Amino acid sequence: MTKLLNELSIVEAARGLRAKEFSVRELWDACANAAKEKNPALNAYLELFDAGEEAIAAAQTRIDTEGEQAPLLCGIPIAMKDNILIKGHIASASSKMLANYTATYDATITKKLKEAGVLFVGRTNMDEFAMGSSTEHSAYGTTKNPLDVSRVPGGSSGGSSAAASAHTALAALGTDTGGSIRQPAAHTGLVGMKPTYGAISRSGLIALGSSLDQAGPLAKTVADAKILYDVMKGKDILDATTISSDTYPVRETGTHMRIGVPRHLLTEGLDADVLARFEETLEALKSAGHTVHDIELPTSGYALPVYYVIMPAESSANLARFDGMRYGLAERGASLLEDYVKSKTAGFGAETIRRILLGTFVLSSGYIDAYYRKAEKVRDILRAEYTSAFDVCDVIAFPTTPSPAFKFGEKSDPVSMYLEDVFTVTANLTGMPAISVPMGNVERDGTSLPTGIHFTAPHGADDVLFKIGALVTGETL
Amino acid sequence: MSTKATVEDVKRLASLARVDVPEEALASFAAEFDSILAYVGKLDELKLADSDRVLTTVRNVLRTDEGAYAPGTWTKAITDQFPAKEGESLSVKKILNHD
């Protein structure tokens, strides 16, 4: 069975373009038409873009003239999350607050992708300001999971996961503050990767938690995720927190990987069949000669409470800038203070206001020591525990989420929604890179749904994640 | 940290954050706050030594202040987003009243 052009991976499409099996125009049309056709039912995109004759022709010329030297991403249609700036396009972070905000500059990663010849299919729906795990907190309606439209596509990068999973783009970009790339990837059968903090520039990303945020790829294969990562990574003068290749020591792994598993975290709150897929994946790795080691991460049980102190604290500070003065929604009242209050109240959704209030609380006098400063101390301990665990293993593995994609409305109280990220937040707190790779399906109500295995690596060892990911999917990088 | 969030607390935080929580939503916000704080309050179980934070080797790095844009490069793109302006200036309400 031959794949349709929009169903190809980046690697397959790049090969086909160079072999002149099809043109950039044909590849673009296949994705753009699939997006047009499927978006009314999925609501993956808030807006579809027109790549334009000129950009399509330029990509084609580059492939024709440069051949194998042309960047692999040249002429490749990619979906963009709505919180990453593309000059001249609206970037709303799925908030009413920024409904009319047009980006005045390109994010550094946008610039790098444009230089590589990427064509953007559209901007994808998300939880407002990336606050959520289901896209149910978008101001523009929910996104449906293409594999079962009664279920969420994960979040906050749920529009991106739906867009790539439904083959309306060959891959998508997301941002990950507590699991927002990896969790939606797990729920839609994709590979999702959060790089080491600082590996990819945050310049031009609409900030949620500045010490936690990283952009990264959602792709159909590990090889595709690596291609996107390699183009986007690197030190950036516009982001002082970006790292260089020598910031962290190089980690060598042998032919056989040492996989650490914190068994004590898997004893409760995890679906039996998700655990079964996890064990089968480990068994397959073992029979290929890799080794599995029990490790202890005693403070990991506190990672999510720590996250729900630090993230609201940082987001309440970051979102203070949206005040209706210079751009975005501008409601007017009788005084300047009323202008602020009316703009914020009309612009922010309920979850955003909840987190702003929570952040205001944990930073307020009398509570900052008990909450914020304590959380920062625990964060140091988590980092130290992971670092010492990496003395005996190359990667740490657990399932990406405790369960497969859930139904709309199923997690209506905030804490149950927050628990979706119980496994993923630690990588954001420690700044370590992490990847989610499909590990087989489970059945719910007669529908087969994907699950993901999650690997964390030491700081700077992003490539080790692609290596272990490819071992799981059986790819050769 | 067995803080019980009250409607008054939510009102106070809302005013600090400059948002308006409607009267009818105050109680549900307070209740949600309680469940979030109860969850976050798990941190209280952790007894930490009263020591300073571990300092990492990561330092703040600032770039050299050079390569400035020519004046006016971004002015139009930015002022086009202003909700109200006079020429290239942003219009806002008076912040001091003398009456």
Side-chain angles (χ1 to χ4, degrees), chain A residues 102 302 339 345 354 374, chain B residues 20 32 45-46 81 83 93:
Chain A
T102 304
Y302 296 95
D339 290 359
T345 305
R354 194 175 291 129
K374 181 153 192 185
Chain B
D20 203 10
E32 284 163 358
E45 301 165 13
L46 268 182
Q81 311 255 354
K93 288 197 174 74

Side-chain angles (χ1 to χ4, degrees), chain B residues 12-55:
Chain B
R12 189 179 61 87
L13 292 171
S15 110
L16 280 171
R18 293 176 171 172
V19 290
D20 203 10
V21 177
E23 207 63 38
E24 64 275 14
L26 283 170
S28 67
F29 260 104
E32 284 163 358
F33 235 74
D34 268 344
S35 77
I36 297 169
L37 290 182
Y39 183 69
V40 166
K42 253 185 93 170
L43 285 177
D44 212 24
E45 301 165 13
L46 268 182
K47 299 294 172 228
L48 302 181
D50 195 21
S51 61
D52 289 333
R53 289 195 53 205
V54 192
L55 292 177

